């Protein structure tokens, strides 16, 4: 709410300030005021037709409102922009715009290169580990009372501990719940990393000599793709949380 007031004041002072419309649109989206957010992104596009990710944001917000009136027009424009290599839409939103695997790959590749480029000096640089058991880490913000946890809890519990050493890295809330207790018990090591940066978490994975790091978020809310861009593990996998390609050379 404080952000809305600040952006509103900025727009009073500079009515043509596209960045303020964009930022206010993001704040309104976080507050689930989707129609108002969509209107702000419409203003962004009027001021700057190629503003990064604004077209996709507006189209996604219209879908949230069940506003189908310009869906075909918006989809055609966004798909053309993706094929032209423009930063027009976030990969998760694009899943609801196009079911073309080729176009989804292009969209994810554009976003990955823009926001999560591979680190020039990866933390893991080819070292061969000789562990008695494969060290497996699951990285997620959803290790609490969440759909992902309900889908995955049984899998975590069924790992063969004679062959796998399992670690959970949680960036989500530490809720006191039966599911949180169940998940904590399912792993040999459960790390609460809410306060850690991407680099700190990547450093921890490298320090633990994790063999396989599984990202359960991908390009979804609270995802931490930056961890994997630092390449802390020999094998890095995207699973379940984001049902599409990451288009990342490190995944």
């Amino acid at each position: 709410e404080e952000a809305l007031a600040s952006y509103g004041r900025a727009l009073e002072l500079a009515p043509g300030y596209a960045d303020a419309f964009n930022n206010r649109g993001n704040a309104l989206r976080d507050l689930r005021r989707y129609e108002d957010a969509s209107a702000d992104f419409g203003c962004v596009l009027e001021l700057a037709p190629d503003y990064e990710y604004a077209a996709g944001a507006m189209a996604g917000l219209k879908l949230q409102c069940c506003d189908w009136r310009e869906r075909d027009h918006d989809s055609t424009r966004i798909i053309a922009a993706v094929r032209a290599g423009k930063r027009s839409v976030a990969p998760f939103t694009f899943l609801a715009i196009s079911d073309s695997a080729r176009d989804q790959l292009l969209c994810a590749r554009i976003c990955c290169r823009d926001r999560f480029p591979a680190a020039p000096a990866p933390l893991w640089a080819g070292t061969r580990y000789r562990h008695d058991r494969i060290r497996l880490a699951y990285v997620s913000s959803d290790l609490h009372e969440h759909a992902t946890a309900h889908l995955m809890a049984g899998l975590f519990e069924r790992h063969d501990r004679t062959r796998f050493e399992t670690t959970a890295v949680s960036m989500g809330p530490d809720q006191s719940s039966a599911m949180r207790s169940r998940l904590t018990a399912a792993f040999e090591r459960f790390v609460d990393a809410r306060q850690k940066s991407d680099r700190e978490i990547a450093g921890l994975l490298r320090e633990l000599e994790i063999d396989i790091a599984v990202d359960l978020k991908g390009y979804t809310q609270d995802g931490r793709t930056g961890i994997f861009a630092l390449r802390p593990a020999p094998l890095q996998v995207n699973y379940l949380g984001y049902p599409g390609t990451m288009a990342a050379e490190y995944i």
Side-chain angles (χ1 to χ4, degrees), residues 62-91:
K62 287 180 181 179
L63 295 179
Q64 293 278 13
C65 300
C66 299
D67 180 355
W68 321 118
R69 289 171 295 181
E70 297 180 336
R71 184 182 187 282
D72 290 343
H73 171 267
D74 291 342
S75 297
T76 298
R77 178 174 64 170
I78 291 168
I79 291 169
V82 166
R83 291 176 180 174
K86 295 181 179 180
R87 291 169 284 191
S88 62
V89 59

Side-chain angles (χ1 to χ4, degrees), residues 11 15 44-45 101 129-130 134 184 195 206 220 222 229 239 241:
L11 289 167
V44 172
L45 292 169
Y129 300 142
R130 303 296 180 188
I134 294 172
T184 302
Q195 305 302 320
R206 178 65 181 87
T220 61
D222 300 325
Y239 184 60

Side-chain angles (χ1 to χ4, degrees), residues 122-196:
L123 297 182
W124 179 81
T127 303
R128 292 287 180 177
Y129 300 142
R130 303 296 180 188
H131 304 143
D132 294 334
R133 295 182 295 162
I134 294 172
R135 298 184 182 179
L136 182 59
Y138 289 94
V139 183
S140 180
S141 301
D142 300 333
L143 299 176
H144 53 93
E145 194 63 49
H146 187 280
T148 296
H150 282 272
L151 290 168
M152 294 289 291
L155 185 151
F156 298 147
E157 292 165 342
R158 285 168 173 78
H159 277 305
D160 182 351
R161 293 200 177 191
T162 67
R163 298 176 59 206
F164 295 93
E165 176 185 316
T166 59
T167 296
V169 179
S170 172
M171 292 90 65
D174 182 10
Q175 296 175 338
S176 178
S177 66
M179 177 55 73
R180 182 70 167 199
S181 298
R182 180 181 176 186
L183 294 174
T184 302
F187 290 93
E188 294 182 55
R189 181 187 294 108
F190 194 102
V191 180
D192 184 345
R194 284 174 295 166
Q195 305 302 320
K196 295 184 182 297

Side-chain angles (χ1 to χ4, degrees), residues 29-73:
R29 178 170 53 190
D30 288 346
L31 291 168
R32 300 188 178 185
R33 291 171 54 181
Y34 298 132
E35 291 187 52
D36 293 337
S38 176
D40 269 5
F41 283 110
C43 292
V44 172
L45 292 169
E46 288 180 9
L47 293 165
D50 289 326
Y51 197 99
E52 294 177 2
Y53 303 106
M58 185 177 71
L61 288 160
K62 287 180 181 179
L63 295 179
Q64 293 278 13
C65 300
C66 299
D67 180 355
W68 321 118
R69 289 171 295 181
E70 297 180 336
R71 184 182 187 282
D72 290 343
H73 171 267

